[in-house]
Amino acid sequence: MNSKLENLWEEVRELSLGSTPQIDRLHTPPTPLQFLRHYLSQNKPFILSASAATTLQWPATTLWTSTSYLLNTLSSSTVSLHLTPTGQADSLTPHPSNPDSLCFASAHVQRTSFSDAIDAIKASRKNDSSQGFVAYAQQQNDCFREEYGALARDCDSHIPWATEAVGGLPEAVNLWIGNDLSETSFHKDHYENLYAVVTGEKHFLLLPPTDVHRMYIREYPAAQYTYSEESEEFELKLENPKRYVPWCSVNPYPLPKDKEKEMSKFPFYYNGPKPFEVTLKAGEILYLPSMWFHHVRQMPDNRGLTIAVNYWYDMQFDIKYAYFNFLQSLSFCKSRLNDGDSFINENLSNGDKNHEEE
C-alpha cells in the first residue's frame, strides 16, 4: 500500500511539473490567456523577472527605499504589529505546560502608529534569555488597502493580466514590512497569490499540493502569545475553549544538533525530492498557486527592512480542489494508521483557513 501511494504521488508531481528542478522564469509578462492556460489552470508557479515585471514602473520601487518618505506619508496611520519572541508566528513551539510536546502559537498583535512600528522592527532581537522581541508589520485582512491606504498611489491596485484571467479583482492586498529575524513556517493558502518584493529579498521553499504527505500535518492545540511592555516578557497561553489546528510539522532548517532527529521523524520530507527554492529580489513577482506549501525567509535592504506586497485572488473550488483533498485524505489516513489511530478528522482540509500567512 505504501509503495503504491508513493508511486501515485511521484507520478502526479511529475505530470504537473515535469522533471525540471527549477521554477519557470519569465522575461516578459504573460498575456491573460498564457497565464490562464500555462500556469493558473495547471497550478504551476513562475517568477516574473524584474526587467519584465510592472513593479519597476511603480513609484514604490524608489519611494519606499526612503524611510522618511514612509514615515511622512503614514504619519497619521495606525497599523497592526505582530510580536513574537523568536520571529516565528503561526508556527509550532513548545507547549507552555509540557515542553516535550508542541502547540500552534499565534503572535501578540497590537495596534500602533507606523513610526512606532518601524522603531520596533529596527529594535527587534530574538528572545535569547527572558527579554527581547521580533516585530513584523503585517495583517492578512487586506491590510494594504485598510491600513496603508496613503501608499495606494505608489503601486498597482491589481495585476491586470491576472485579474483578467481570474475574472475578478483581488480579494485582498497585503503589505509586509519586517527584517531577517521574521520567518514563516510551512503552510498553504486557498488563494492564487501574486507576490511582489519592493525592497530586500524573500527566500521561498515550495512544494506542490501533491506532496502533502511530506508535510506531516498533525493537530496541535492553539495558543496565543501576550506581550507585556512593562516586564518586556512574553506569556504563552492555550486558547480557552481548547481548539486544535492542523499544521505542518516539518522544520526545513533544524539546528545542527536536531537534524538527525528531525530526519528520522520526517523521512518523506528529507528523503524525497528537494523543495523548489526561489529567491525573489526587489522588483520581481512570484506567482504562488493556491494550496502550494511554502516556507518564507527574508533578507533586508541596507536599512534593515524587507517590504513586499501580495495580491490574493480567490481560487476556484473545482475538481482540482476536490482532487487535492482526496490526496490529503490518503495522507492523513496513512499517518493515522501508522500512529495506531484510524480516526480521520473530517475538518482537516479546512484547518488552515484562519491561519493564512505569506
Side-chain angles (χ1 to χ4, degrees):
M1 180 68 172
N2 285 357
S3 61
K4 290 181 179 179
L5 286 177
E6 290 166 22
N7 288 338
L8 171 64
W9 283 313
E10 288 175 4
E11 289 174 3
V12 171
R13 193 178 200 267
E14 185 170 346
L15 179 64
S16 301
L17 300 168
S19 57
T20 175
Q22 296 181 334
I23 300 296
D24 286 355
R25 178 176 287 273
L26 306 185
H27 297 286
T28 57
T31 65
L33 181 59
Q34 288 171 335
F35 176 55
L36 176 62
R37 179 177 295 171
H38 299 298
Y39 297 100
L40 183 64
S41 64
Q42 295 188 31
N43 201 242
K44 183 178 179 180
F46 69 84
I47 302 166
L48 187 59
S49 67
S51 60
T54 56
T55 49
L56 284 182
Q57 302 169 15
W58 291 358
T61 305
T62 54
L63 293 176
W64 292 6
T65 60
S66 167
T67 304
S68 61
Y69 170 80
L70 295 172
L71 291 171
N72 290 334
T73 306
L74 297 168
S75 60
S76 60
S77 297
T78 300
V79 302
S80 299
L81 187 68
H82 289 225
L83 300 178
T84 61
T86 63
Q88 298 179 334
D90 281 6
S91 64
L92 302 181
T93 196
H95 193 288
S97 59
N98 181 12
D100 292 331
S101 62
L102 298 173
C103 67
F104 174 86
S106 297
H108 171 87
V109 183
Q110 64 185 43
R111 301 279 291 167
T112 188
S113 69
F114 179 73
S115 61
D116 284 348
I118 290 296
D119 288 343
I121 292 168
K122 290 185 174 181
S124 293
R125 59 187 176 90
K126 289 194 176 183
N127 190 338
D128 295 326
S129 55
S130 61
Q131 296 181 331
F133 62 79
V134 177
Y136 198 9
Q138 57 105 345
Q139 185 78 1
Q140 300 93 38
N141 63 348
D142 201 26
C143 70
F144 182 65
R145 294 185 287 206
E146 294 293 330
E147 299 182 0
Y148 297 90
L151 297 176
R153 64 184 180 273
D154 294 342
C155 58
D156 292 339
S157 61
H158 67 109
I159 306 296
W161 43 265
T163 296
E164 185 173 342
V166 172
L169 292 167
E171 178 71 17
V173 183
N174 302 309
L175 184 71
W176 312 80
I177 305 178
N179 59 24
D180 58 311
L181 298 179
S182 293
E183 184 175 319
T184 303
S185 63
F186 263 126
H187 68 286
K188 62 182 174 68
D189 300 316
H190 291 159
Y191 290 100
E192 308 296 347
N193 190 351
L194 274 297
Y195 202 102
V197 173
V198 181
T199 72
E201 297 180 358
K202 294 274 186 174
H203 182 71
F204 291 81
L205 297 180
L206 306 178
L207 284 171
T210 48
D211 283 21
V212 60
H213 62 293
R214 302 178 61 200
M215 292 286 88
Y216 293 87
I217 297 174
R218 301 286 187 269
E219 285 191 321
Y220 297 94
Q224 182 83 41
Y225 283 114
T226 56
Y227 179 72
S228 168
E229 293 187 1
E230 291 184 3
S231 66
E232 297 184 336
E233 293 183 344
F234 284 91
E235 183 177 9
L236 182 63
K237 288 184 177 180
L238 295 181
E239 291 186 8
N240 187 17
K242 187 176 290 187
R243 181 172 65 92
Y244 287 86
V245 178
W247 204 253
C248 303
S249 302
V250 174
N251 174 12
Y253 300 109
L255 296 173
K257 67 181 181 64
D258 298 328
K259 187 167 185 178
E260 187 174 342
K261 180 181 177 182
E262 293 291 298
M263 291 178 68
S264 66
K265 286 171 62 178
F266 309 121
F268 280 140
Y269 176 79
Y270 286 100
N271 297 334
K274 289 185 177 180
F276 295 95
E277 296 192 42
V278 172
T279 296
L280 204 63
K281 299 180 181 296
E284 296 183 326
I285 293 176
L286 170 66
Y287 166 53
L288 180 58
S290 57
M291 298 186 291
W292 271 64
F293 295 97
H294 49 291
H295 181 283
V296 190
R297 284 178 157 182
Q298 51 194 13
M299 289 297 294
D301 59 18
N302 55 15
R303 298 169 297 171
L305 297 178
T306 303
I307 306 178
V309 179
N310 82 300
Y311 301 80
W312 269 341
Y313 289 86
D314 277 341
M315 67 170 284
Q316 294 295 315
F317 290 86
D318 51 15
I319 187 64
K320 177 180 66 177
Y321 175 71
Y323 170 70
F324 288 137
N325 274 349
F326 169 70
L327 285 181
Q328 181 164 289
S329 70
L330 291 180
S331 174
F332 282 120
C333 180
K334 180 177 181 296
S335 65
R336 291 288 188 175
L337 289 173
N338 286 346
D339 292 340
D341 182 0
S342 60
F343 173 76
I344 302 174
N345 188 321
E346 64 183 5
N347 293 318
L348 284 176
S349 62
N350 297 320
D352 55 353
K353 67 181 179 182
N354 294 321
H355 302 284
E356 291 147 346
E357 281 289 343
E358 294 189 65

